[in-house]
Each structure stands twice: as C-alpha cells, then as structure tokens.
Amino acid sequence: MRLYENSSQALIEDINHNRLSDIVKKSFVNYYGHNPSPGEYSAWNNSFQFVKNELQNNNLLDIYVVIEYELPYSARRIDVILMGRGSENSQNVIIIELKQWSKAELSQIDGNIITYVGNALRSEPHPSIQVSGYYYYLKDFMPMFNSDDYKLYGCAYCHNYSASPNAALLNNSFNNVLTKFPLFTKGDFMKFGNYLKDKLSNGGGFQIYNDFITSDIKPSKKLIDFTSDILRNQKVFSLIDDQILANNTIIDRAKKASRSNKKSVIIVSGGPGTGKSVIALNAMAELLSNGLRVYHATGSKSFTSSLQKIVSSDKIKSARNLFLYFNSFANTMANDVDVLIADEAHRIRKSSNNRFTKVDRRSTLPQIEELINVAKVSVFFIDEYQVVRPEEIGSIDLIKDTADKFNADVYTFSLKTQFRCSGSDGYLNWVESLLNINDTGNEFLTKNEKMKFTIVDSPFILRNKMNELNSKTENSARMVAGFCWPWSDPNEDGTLKNDIVIGDFKATWELKDFAKIKFTKKPDTPPWNLWPLDPRCSDQVGSIYTIQGFEFDYIFLIWGNDLVYDCTINEWTGKPENSKDPVIRRGKAKFTEHVKNIYRILLTRARYGVFVYFVDKETEKFVKSRIEMYRLKN
C-alpha cells in the first residue's frame, strides 16, 4: 500500500499548490476507513516542504517518489522512498525517515533517545537505527535488493534539529549506525542535497518504481522454523520501530546489571503477531553470545517442549536446558540468573506448586515473586487478552506491583507493529471489536484488509481446503476447534478416536498422552505437545492448548457452541454446558471472558488466511453482519 506515488516534478507542483496533504489524506481514508491523526496530517504539511525544497534546488525532477509506503506483512509505513539512477548510473532506492524533532537527549538506554513527541517526553529509537530496521526488513522480503541490479540506501532527515557540538543524535555512541545510515539536520541542506544528487541525479525513476512495485515479495517467516538460527545469533528477523525500543532496553539493562544494585523488570505487552517471541529469542541470542546466564521460560508445555525439540534436533550445545517452565525456579537463589525471559507471561499462575510437588520442594512464594527474585533482569512478554484458564493470573498490574516489592526499576513497552494476519491491524482490531473485547472502532471487516477471512458451509470444506494447502506446502495449515468435544485416549491399536462429530463429519483431536495404555501398536504421531511441529499431525484437530504461541500460514477453525451470539439480547454468551474442558468450566464466573479470549487467539494464529465453520448458525449470521462482503451481498 502506498498513499502517494508520483514523479518528483508532480510532487513539487502538488506541494506548491497546497494540495499534497489532502491527496494523502484522501488515500488514507479510502484505505483505512478513518481519518489520519492531526499529528500525521500536520507532518505531511510540514516535513514534505523540506523534501520538496531539496528536490527542487538540486533539479531532481526525473525521479519517482513514494510517500507512506506500507511494509510487506506489516502496517508500519516508511515516510518517503525516492527512486532514480545515481551518478554512476546505478539503480537506486533511498528510504528516508522524516523527523520534526527540534530537541533530543541521550537516554540511559543505549540506542534510545529521549525527545518530545506526542505531547510528552518519550523514549524513541535513534532515527538512524529506525531506518536500519526498515532497510534490513526490505532486504529480507524483496529479492530485488539482494542482486547487483538495485542498490538500497537509508537516511534520516531531522529538518528542525540543530547540530550543536553536543548534539545527542550525533553522539559518538551512534557512529557505527550513522556511517551506514546518515542523519541530516537543519543545517545540512547542502550536504543532504549532495547525498541525493549522488544517488539520483541521472533520473529514470519511473522504471525503477515499476520494478519496485512489481517485485516479488518473499513469504513471511514462521518463528518456530528459525529458532535454531536465532540462537546461533544469526540475523533472521529485522526488528522495527517499537520492537527496537524494547530490544534496546533489554540488552542495555542486561549488560549493565552487574554494575547495578537494583533489579530491572521489563514489561513488553502486545497483541497477536506483534513480535513478542521474536524479540525474546533475538535478545536471548545476543545476551548468550555476551556470556550472560539467560533462560527462556513459559507456562506452555506445547510451546516450551517444541522449542526444546527444535534446538535438540539441531544439536545446539546444551540449548535444550535453556528453555524451561515458570515453575522451574521455585526455591532458586536470588539473582542466580542474569536474565530471565518470561514469554507468554499472561500464563503465570498463583503458585508453582501442584499436586505432584513433593513436600520438601513446595514453594512458599507466589510464582511471580519466584520469577523476579531469581533474576537480575526479568523480562515479561504479555498479552492480557490471552488468559484462557481460571488459574492463569498474569497481568501488567501484577508484575508492576511485585516489582515494587523488590524495589526494581520498571520499564514498560506496548508493541503496536503487527506482522501476523498479513500485517493487517484492521483485521485484529475487527476481531477484538467483533468479540466485544475492545472498542477498536473497526466494527466491520472491509475489503481493504489484506487478511483473508472466509466462512464455509461445511467442515468437509475446511478439511479439503486444508489438505490442498498442505499438499502444496507441508505443514502450512492446521485445523483447530473450540473445546466442545471430549478428548479420548487413543485406541489400543494406536489409532485415534473420532471425538469430533458434526453430522457425517468426523475428526480426531491431537494425540493424548498414553503412558498407561497397553498398545498392540503404538500411534504413528507424537503426542499433543509436539502437534505444531510434526507434519504427520496435520490431519488432527488442535485446541487452544496446542496452538497458543504458534502460527501457521492458514488456520481452519470449527467455531463450537461454547460461545454463541444471542441476538435476543445482542450479547455474546458463554455456554459452559457445551464445553468439554473441565478446567475452564470450573471458572464459571469468567467463563464467557475466557472463551472469548480463546476464539480471539484461534482467529489470530494465521499469517495469510482464516477459514471458519460455525456450529451455531445464529452466531454465523451475526459474524456475517459484521463483514462488508457479506453485507453487500444481502
């Protein structure tokens, strides 16, 4: 998506006639369905005047300009991209990040800057580091930039910022990034112009633009497929914007922890697909390479055992032992760990004790206190709308209150950049609005959303389409369902029971643990906790407990009758009597809240598309009423 694209000469005319901002605003409204913020509109009015002046003064009239380019699989946008041939006739593309900042200070966190933005002093990534994120992101997804035919560059232009002798943005600590991604200030009009002339003076931007917009886009990556590469400290995922801010803080606090008498607690919140686990594993790899003692922990057997399986099979020395559970730190000495990364912190429980805990190993501390106590730096990645069981109590307030007990420094970040669901913020917002979890303003799913959402009339259609996709790309699609059918032990001959029955349709759940069964032939697939990894499990239906924390290209959902929309009262109603999950049924007071969270998770596990079959037809009718495509048909 591009909000504006034209020749530099046309851009100059549009700015001189005071119509650029209105053109960009119109494109914005047509695409997103709502008005841009006053700050965005003001930035278009102000910053592009400075770009226009550079183009006009340096006679760069035969280049092509793209404004507000949306990154592949993301809703984040690059301010400006300029395209043209350089002084040596190379085909060049320049990413430009525009900042209206007039002042900035060094942050205590290496890599971050303190500046006045959004009517408050805030911590932001250094502009050149932000540009580097976009640069590597495009290099990662656009093969054209990995050939010798096209060259990609990036820079920042802070047109209101004066470069004093002690200018924070030009501090020596940023020399490495500034060398590759230069930052131009208020007094750099000629210097910036020379930079642009060197790379664009031979014009011919329109052909490069055509090549750019028709370029192949590589498929987005599944985190689970690249875990081993990340732990080898290989650059697999490029962090951008708010991810950089959080990652810088984790690395900085960890490296400085040995010189501090205080603990640091870092809270990173974000919805599905915002890259929480990517940051977690990237930070873990960098800190391990610096010789720090780091552990990754979750409350999910499926997620943790899958990570352990991957690193074990790839023979990364001792890596399996780095992936533990929240209850692994009971009775561990204080500050025994440099950094503890608590992924999926919404699954923290009241206590690490359970019915199998031996008396002499029982902890007297709440689980959250154990996690903060054990580490000098503890990092919590959390999505409060992913709590799905009564015993799960993880919340931002709980973490903050406990951090106060330890007199810890607390850093909080909220991730907004969304990379799953084809990078469609609108789709995720629609899901939350649909389920009445959040009033996001996205009442209807529009045709502009990049995420594919399809309602089908039969579960057979789900299975056939899923099999078709898996035959093309192994393990790319999975079927999941609400926990509305019993989960049986396997048969003695190793086959699974058809627990899920809808008319003539029959399907099995994942393989249940079978320690007490005497088999005449053992099952051919691994147990449920490895269901996301093994292609042999692709014909089994997954539940919330196997899919949470994972993603697939496509998800095929059977929406059961444990959550239905009651049109008589216009509300979602949880039906505990239709649930076969004994744990969630015990929490009757919050059953509807938990089951809504479950379907939010199931609807947001896909990267490209979701196909849904509804058991309850009134619920299907309501969902269709919130989708533009179906409303237009009626």
Side-chain angles (χ1 to χ4, degrees):
M1 186 281 299
R2 305 166 297 277
L3 293 186
Y4 181 93
E5 48 200 344
N6 218 325
S7 69
S8 50
Q9 190 161 4
L11 172 75
I12 291 168
E13 291 179 5
D14 285 336
I15 292 175
N16 286 339
H17 289 86
N18 295 318
R19 59 191 178 217
L20 176 71
S21 295
D22 289 331
I23 293 171
V24 178
K25 178 182 177 180
K26 183 177 179 181
S27 297
F28 185 102
V29 172
N30 287 341
Y31 186 79
Y32 292 108
H34 60 86
N35 283 318
S37 69
E40 281 183 298
Y41 186 83
S42 174
W44 296 331
N45 262 327
N46 297 329
S47 292
F48 290 111
Q49 291 282 349
F50 293 90
V51 175
K52 184 265 294 187
N53 292 341
E54 290 286 2
L55 299 177
Q56 198 167 24
N57 186 70
N58 293 288
N59 201 35
L60 297 173
L61 305 179
D62 187 28
I63 66 172
Y64 219 79
V65 183
V66 173
I67 291 175
E68 300 289 5
Y69 170 77
E70 192 173 78
L71 292 167
Y73 311 115
S74 169
R76 286 291 175 169
R77 304 191 302 271
I78 295 173
D79 290 339
V80 187
I81 301 178
L82 303 181
M83 305 176 195
R85 291 183 176 273
S87 55
E88 298 180 355
N89 214 33
S90 57
Q91 299 184 98
N92 298 331
V93 176
I94 307 177
I95 299 166
I96 303 177
E97 177 66 21
L98 300 172
K99 296 293 187 190
Q100 298 187 82
W101 303 352
S102 57
K103 295 181 180 180
E105 301 172 9
L106 289 175
S107 168
Q108 63 174 325
I109 306 299
D110 289 346
N112 293 348
I113 288 293
I114 304 296
T115 188
Y116 191 82
V117 61
N119 298 317
L121 278 176
R122 301 181 191 275
S123 187
E124 295 285 332
H126 186 283
S128 292
I129 295 177
Q130 185 179 355
V131 169
S132 76
Y134 297 151
Y135 172 91
Y136 289 112
Y137 193 96
L138 287 183
K139 292 269 286 186
D140 197 19
F141 283 108
M142 300 185 73
M144 67 179 287
F145 293 124
N146 295 307
S147 71
D148 295 330
D149 297 329
Y150 304 91
K151 293 183 179 179
L152 182 65
Y153 298 92
C155 66
Y157 189 21
C158 301
H159 48 76
N160 293 330
Y161 183 81
S162 297
S164 64
N166 298 315
L169 295 184
L170 302 175
N171 186 270
N172 290 339
S173 61
F174 299 116
N175 279 351
N176 286 341
V177 70
L178 286 170
T179 299
K180 188 171 180 65
F181 305 103
L183 182 144
F184 300 98
T185 64
K186 183 178 181 179
D188 288 334
F189 184 82
M190 296 301 295
K191 185 178 178 181
F192 186 35
N194 290 335
Y195 175 86
L196 296 179
K197 280 195 294 184
D198 179 57
K199 294 170 175 55
L200 302 170
S201 59
N202 277 337
F206 183 68
Q207 182 57 54
I208 301 172
Y209 161 78
N210 276 334
D211 295 342
F212 179 81
I213 63 170
T214 58
S215 170
D216 291 336
I217 303 293
K218 292 180 183 176
S220 60
K221 300 169 182 174
K222 285 195 291 187
L223 173 67
I224 206 71
D225 292 338
F226 292 92
T227 299
S228 295
D229 291 336
I230 294 172
L231 289 184
R232 292 190 185 95
N233 211 16
Q234 296 180 16
K235 191 176 182 66
V236 176
F237 293 91
S238 298
L239 304 182
I240 63 174
D241 294 353
D242 43 15
Q243 296 176 325
I244 295 173
L245 200 63
N247 187 73
N248 285 348
T249 304
I250 296 167
I251 302 302
D252 178 90
R253 294 295 85 186
K255 288 181 177 179
K256 297 175 181 175
S258 61
R259 305 196 300 269
S260 175
N261 295 321
K262 293 185 73 176
K263 289 179 177 288
S264 292
V265 173
I266 301 167
I267 305 169
V268 184
S269 65
T274 49
K276 297 185 294 297
S277 294
V278 169
I279 300 171
L281 292 178
N282 270 341
M284 183 179 185
E286 183 170 346
L287 295 173
L288 287 170
S289 71
N290 280 276
L292 296 180
R293 192 177 184 195
V294 186
Y295 289 96
H296 179 283
T298 78
S300 166
K301 182 176 180 180
S302 180
F303 194 30
T304 296
S305 57
S306 291
L307 292 172
Q308 290 174 338
K309 177 78 171 176
I310 290 168
V311 297
S312 297
S313 62
D314 284 359
K315 299 179 181 177
I316 301 176
K317 186 178 180 180
S318 303
R320 178 186 177 91
N321 300 326
L322 302 176
F323 294 93
L324 303 173
Y325 297 95
F326 291 154
N327 62 5
S328 301
F329 302 94
N331 305 303
T332 305
M333 292 181 60
N335 297 329
D336 192 50
V337 175
D338 291 319
V339 182
L340 176 62
I341 295 173
D343 207 350
E344 301 217 331
H346 38 271
R347 303 201 68 175
I348 289 171
R349 303 188 179 197
K350 291 181 180 178
S351 170
S352 293
N353 301 325
N354 58 47
R355 59 194 177 99
F356 300 107
T357 308
K358 294 181 180 179
V359 174
D360 61 339
R361 298 293 299 168
R362 297 184 76 82
S363 172
T364 59
L365 292 177
Q367 191 171 82
I368 180 62
E369 291 191 25
E370 293 172 357
L371 297 174
I372 294 178
N373 178 63
V374 75
K376 298 170 187 174
V377 178
S378 47
V379 188
F380 297 90
F381 293 89
I382 187 168
D383 178 358
E384 292 181 308
Y385 297 115
Q386 288 199 45
V387 173
V388 298
R389 305 189 93 175
E391 70 271 25
E392 295 174 354
I393 62 167
S395 71
I396 294 172
D397 285 344
L398 173 69
I399 299 168
K400 284 182 176 179
D401 291 344
T402 309
D404 287 344
K405 290 183 180 180
F406 286 88
N407 193 32
D409 291 328
V410 178
Y411 305 86
T412 60
F413 301 92
S414 178
L415 302 178
K416 303 298 183 186
T417 307
Q418 208 267 119
F419 299 92
R420 198 180 292 149
C421 305
S422 293
S424 174
D425 285 344
Y427 173 77
L428 179 58
N429 290 337
W430 172 75
V431 168
E432 295 189 352
S433 173
L434 175 76
L435 293 169
N436 199 26
I437 290 173
N438 264 325
D439 184 11
T440 62
N442 293 67
E443 185 177 358
F444 301 105
L445 185 65
T446 72
K447 63 181 184 300
N448 288 330
E449 298 305 334
K450 295 173 287 186
M451 184 67 171
K452 183 179 180 64
F453 184 86
T454 306
I455 296 173
V456 301
D457 296 330
S458 162
F460 286 105
I461 298 174
L462 286 186
R463 183 155 60 194
N464 291 341
K465 183 64 176 177
M466 180 189 70
N467 290 339
E468 176 189 332
L469 291 170
N470 280 329
S471 67
K472 293 177 180 177
T473 305
E474 187 177 67
N475 219 32
S476 63
R478 278 290 196 275
M479 188 179 296
V480 295
F483 209 153
C484 299
W485 295 269
W487 186 25
S488 302
D489 291 334
N491 298 309
E492 290 184 1
D493 64 358
T495 59
L496 305 183
K497 292 178 180 172
N498 287 315
D499 286 322
I500 301 171
V501 179
I502 305 171
D504 295 332
F505 176 83
K506 297 179 181 179
T508 73
W509 287 114
E510 327 93 315
L511 175 61
K512 197 173 185 180
D513 290 334
F514 49 80
K516 296 180 181 180
I517 299 176
K518 294 181 179 180
F519 288 104
T520 57
K521 179 186 176 184
K522 285 196 173 182
D524 294 328
T525 60
W528 66 272
N529 56 301
L530 296 177
W531 172 86
L533 291 182
D534 201 310
R536 293 175 297 170
C537 301
S538 62
D539 62 343
Q540 301 165 5
V541 179
S543 72
I544 182 62
Y545 303 115
T546 44
I547 195 68
Q548 193 170 16
F550 294 94
E551 62 182 2
F552 291 88
D553 289 351
Y554 295 92
I555 287 294
F556 295 82
L557 169 62
I558 299 175
W559 191 313
N561 56 2
D562 52 347
L563 179 68
V564 302
Y565 192 80
D566 189 336
C567 295
T568 61
I569 58 174
N570 294 322
E571 284 185 7
W572 287 102
T573 303
K575 298 282 189 179
E577 66 272 19
N578 293 332
S579 174
K580 301 301 180 183
D581 184 343
V583 177
I584 193 174
R585 273 164 43 196
R586 287 200 294 268
K588 288 185 178 180
K590 288 193 170 184
F591 181 87
T592 299
E593 176 186 331
H594 287 154
V595 80
K596 285 202 296 183
N597 287 349
I598 285 172
Y599 280 100
R600 173 182 179 266
I601 295 168
L602 297 179
L603 288 165
T604 54
R605 295 300 96 190
R607 298 190 294 162
Y608 305 132
V610 176
F611 294 76
V612 185
Y613 170 77
F614 290 89
V615 172
D616 181 77
K617 296 308 170 184
E618 285 300 309
T619 303
E620 176 182 327
K621 182 179 178 181
F622 168 71
V623 174
K624 283 184 174 180
S625 75
R626 298 286 294 272
I627 300 173
E628 186 178 78
M629 178 182 70
Y630 292 104
R631 287 167 58 87
L632 291 175
K633 286 181 180 179
N634 296 327

